[in-house]
Amino acid sequence: GHSGKTAVTDILREVRGFHVHDNSFEFDLLRLPDGILDLEKALCDNWSPIRSDFAIKRFKQLALALEDGYSETLNSNFKILTQKYVESLIIDQLHINGWYDELYKDNANKKKLKIILKKIGFFSLLKKIYRKIKTNSALSQKRTEVHLVSGNKFYEFTKAYLQSLLFFKVRKDYNTVVVNNAFEAFKPENSINYFDNAFSIVVLRDPRDIYASILLQEEAFIPSFEDGDGIYSKEYLQSLKKNMLGVEDIKVFIKRQELYMSQINFSAREKAKILYINYEDLVLQYEKTVAKIFSHLKINQKDHTQKKRYFNPSHSLKNVGIWVKVKDSVGVRRRGEVNPGHY
């Protein structure tokens, strides 16, 4: 939330051979509820016929919701590729009368009708009639399709599927794709497993500046892609950040920051494919921090052919230490009491 992660994607946009998605596009297929992380859990970690079937159905619904944007940005065959991926996980189908799908349908209207019938005294009578009809009529012959799903080759099929999505529009002389928010910052190692050669960079920022940057919007440096991105207005994006970060109430903001930071698996610092950096270091110690990023990703400095074209640290100086302009009455700690980017 307002960590400055796009500074890193903009630096990588300057590197030869790197295909970087638009800053406004986030590849959420892994981490969204019912996405691939949840699919893995249902198929590989805690399998059951009920959970595996339901996970496949929910994943298909999520893919349908993402179809338009992903077809345009990633691969025009997104729908077909997703269908083939799902089919690769399904061994066969059963057709069962009385499966669990009914439990998860939207029953809001049914509940309203039930209340009305109870009030006028017809509920018990109609319930008996309904049961009789359900038992003896063609309704009882309506069966639910149930998928027999295996996780035996889940990683093999998932890697191939993601490769086909993410590299479809990449030039043949490019070897790397950079995506925004594809991996959860809290435990990126789980998503790294879906690729043969993936890396993660997590950007942390002084929470005092995150808070102040919303209050002092007019004084901060706003990247061009946020200053009205052609889809959402600047006002809408700023309002969204304000709501998401809990800036309306400083106590809520602090609780959110403490919760999020407590959930990050910092022991992953030892893992070779995960790098944590502070936004402040990227601005104030540009050369040193860029060298650290390039070392992490095994990038040759000679390939940084468009240096500072998309990210210029001198512009972002406006976004560092701006909390000092906010009055102490809001409860922002004084400099030195908190290490930047940490609680």
Side-chain angles (χ1 to χ4, degrees), residues 288-303:
K288 180 181 178 181
T289 310
V290 169
K292 183 186 291 187
I293 292 171
F294 284 10
S295 175
H296 175 65
L297 299 178
K298 299 177 175 56
I299 297 173
N300 191 321
Q301 289 277 2
K302 293 180 180 178
D303 288 326

Side-chain angles (χ1 to χ4, degrees), residues 4-23:
K5 66 173 171 46
T6 53
V8 174
T9 56
D10 279 345
I11 288 172
L12 297 178
R13 203 181 301 277
E14 300 166 350
V15 178
R16 180 169 51 202
F18 274 56
H19 178 91
V20 185
H21 292 153
D22 187 274
N23 283 323

Side-chain angles (χ1 to χ4, degrees), residues 29-30 32-36 38-39 54-55 58-62:
L29 193 61
L30 307 183
L32 281 178
D34 302 322
I36 287 177
D38 282 352
L39 196 59
F54 195 62
R58 293 295 293 262
F59 178 76
K60 288 196 289 185
Q61 290 178 359
L62 174 63

Side-chain angles (χ1 to χ4, degrees), residues 76-93:
S76 56
N77 294 318
F78 174 74
K79 182 177 180 179
I80 296 172
L81 290 170
T82 301
Q83 184 177 342
K84 289 182 177 179
Y85 169 61
V86 169
E87 289 174 353
S88 71
L89 300 171
I90 298 173
I91 296 174
D92 215 324
Q93 275 89 21

Side-chain angles (χ1 to χ4, degrees), residues 226-261:
E226 287 189 11
D227 195 12
D229 66 353
I231 301 175
Y232 303 108
S233 68
K234 175 182 174 181
E235 291 73 24
Y236 170 79
L237 292 172
Q238 292 294 339
S239 175
L240 176 64
K241 290 179 183 179
K242 187 175 182 180
N243 299 152
M244 183 182 73
L245 293 165
V247 173
E248 294 94 337
D249 186 330
I250 184 66
K251 292 181 179 178
V252 173
F253 172 82
I254 291 173
K255 287 179 181 177
R256 177 192 184 276
Q257 289 291 325
E258 290 178 333
L259 174 63
Y260 278 39
M261 294 303 292

